[in-house]
Amino acid sequence: MTFKTFLNFTRIQTLPAALLSPIAGVIFALYTFGSFHFLPTLLFFIGLIAINLFVSAWNNLMDYKKALDPDYKTHENILSTRNIAPSLALKICLALLAIDLIVGIGVVLTTNIAILPIGALCFIIAIFYTFGPFAFSRFPLGEVLAGFAEGLCGFFFGIYVNAFDANFFTASFHQWLLTFNIDFATLIPIGLVGMMCFCMNFNVMLADNICDLAQDEKNGRLTLPHFIGVHHALRLFVSMYGLACFVVLVGVITGVLPKTTLLMSLVSPLIIRNVNKFLKKQDKRETFILSVQNLMIYNGALAITIALGLIWG
């Protein structure tokens, strides 16, 4: 396998979008807690890159193995078009998974064991999204799981590896008793801001499933657009952007976000333009990328405007 084929197999082009929610989390931790820890942050981002590459590669492999449509399996899946042996694809996936697991243990050891259950849940979602007889991708769960694991948890982890010592979410052992200490006064505002990242990742998966609806149905994947129809799926797509904007206003009004975050409104014309283009035509090759662009624009603007609040605050 050439390096270029490896990059295509793992969809390296999706990596920048996956990094933006955690980067926003790191900056939010600096703004809210004035805290930054280099080692756990470095380990976290190494693991994040590994699991992101794993998910893309694993999905390609599972889609190949589970394909019911022979035309898709022969002419569209990357394992066929790039002559990648399934055995080699599996080895690459397992290697990436092992890297994430090892680095994840390092993150737990350098922060607090409280993060372990959330990390384990995201780990399970990554594996079983396309694996097994009841893979999550074959049910109307993809959007919520993508929003939760990649958006909300990505943002939360970016905060936690830098502000774990603020003790808003910790766990400790006393003999055989495991005790969790949860400060909801801190976690709720974090969840509020994280909801913006949830909405963006939700919409990327929704756009993907809308564009792939016919192909998914041929391969037995019954995603959310299959159940609610394209018309209602598009209305939901627009509504999630509206929810994200509403959360920004609530965050600023309540003081969770700096007033500089209102500068995010400057990117609204770009977001609206991309949404209108997608509403006119839903095509995987032509317009799906617009939802990814919106995620990068929105989450990038979130990170930058919080950073401005940190500088000017």
Side-chain angles (χ1 to χ4, degrees):
M1 179 187 292
T2 66
F3 185 62
K4 183 178 180 180
T5 299
F6 170 79
L7 296 180
N8 287 326
F9 176 53
T10 55
R11 296 176 186 168
I12 192 69
Q13 67 273 15
T14 66
L15 189 58
L19 294 174
L20 284 174
S21 292
I23 289 173
V26 172
I27 297 173
F28 186 83
L30 283 167
Y31 171 75
T32 303
F33 301 98
S35 180
F36 177 78
H37 296 284
F38 176 76
L39 180 57
T41 300
L42 176 64
L43 292 173
F44 165 65
F45 276 100
I46 292 173
L48 178 65
I49 292 171
I51 198 66
N52 183 264
L53 298 181
F54 163 80
V55 168
S56 296
W58 187 244
N59 289 350
N60 281 327
L61 176 60
M62 291 299 104
D63 287 345
Y64 174 83
K65 287 182 171 293
K66 293 186 176 186
L68 301 177
D69 181 10
D71 184 65
Y72 166 80
K73 188 168 186 175
T74 306
H75 299 105
E76 295 188 38
N77 188 278
I78 191 171
L79 270 72
S80 297
T81 59
R82 294 300 181 96
N83 296 315
I84 302 172
S87 58
L88 176 59
L90 179 60
K91 290 177 182 178
I92 292 172
C93 290
L94 293 178
L96 291 169
L97 198 63
I99 292 172
D100 180 67
L101 182 61
I102 294 170
V103 173
I105 293 173
V107 171
V108 172
L109 293 176
T110 54
T111 57
N112 186 273
I113 197 174
I115 200 174
L116 182 60
I118 303 176
L121 179 58
C122 293
F123 195 79
I124 290 170
I125 291 172
I127 295 173
F128 290 97
Y129 185 75
T130 51
F131 178 70
F134 302 104
F136 300 137
S137 65
R138 294 178 178 266
F139 298 92
L141 299 171
E143 290 79 5
V144 172
L145 294 177
F148 172 77
E150 297 180 19
L152 182 59
C153 287
F155 179 75
F156 173 77
F157 289 147
I159 296 171
Y160 194 79
V161 295
N162 288 291
F164 63 91
D165 47 359
N167 297 322
F168 61 87
F169 184 62
T170 59
S172 58
F173 278 106
H174 300 284
Q175 296 181 346
W176 290 99
L177 181 64
L178 177 62
T179 304
F180 280 88
N181 177 55
I182 303 174
D183 180 5
F184 285 103
T186 303
L187 280 179
I188 290 175
I190 291 174
L192 175 70
V193 182
M195 183 58 62
M196 290 182 280
C197 300
F198 174 94
C199 292
M200 293 301 109
N201 285 92
F202 182 101
N203 266 358
V204 169
M205 182 59 68
L206 180 59
D208 186 49
N209 286 337
I210 291 173
C211 293
D212 286 344
L213 179 58
Q215 186 67 67
D216 284 345
E217 289 174 339
K218 289 180 182 179
N219 286 305
R221 293 192 295 265
L222 304 182
T223 58
L224 184 60
H226 168 82
F227 289 96
I228 67 176
V230 172
H231 175 71
H232 291 292
L234 290 175
R235 293 183 64 180
L236 177 60
F237 182 75
V238 175
S239 298
M240 294 303 288
Y241 286 117
L243 176 59
C245 293
F246 174 74
V247 170
V248 172
L249 292 175
V250 173
V252 173
I253 292 171
T254 57
V256 174
L257 290 171
K259 293 180 180 179
T260 52
T261 314
L262 292 175
L263 292 173
M264 290 181 68
S265 60
L266 295 176
V267 304
S268 296
L270 298 176
I271 300 287
I272 294 171
R273 181 196 64 186
N274 286 345
V275 169
N276 287 334
K277 286 183 178 179
F278 186 76
L279 293 178
K280 292 178 181 178
K281 184 177 183 180
Q282 300 85 51
D283 183 84
K284 189 62 174 286
R285 290 182 174 86
E286 293 184 32
T287 58
F288 163 68
I289 190 63
L290 298 175
S291 64
V292 180
Q293 290 177 5
N294 278 356
L295 180 149
M296 297 185 70
I297 292 170
Y298 195 93
N299 287 358
L302 174 64
I304 291 171
T305 54
I306 295 176
L308 290 175
L310 177 65
I311 295 170
W312 293 341

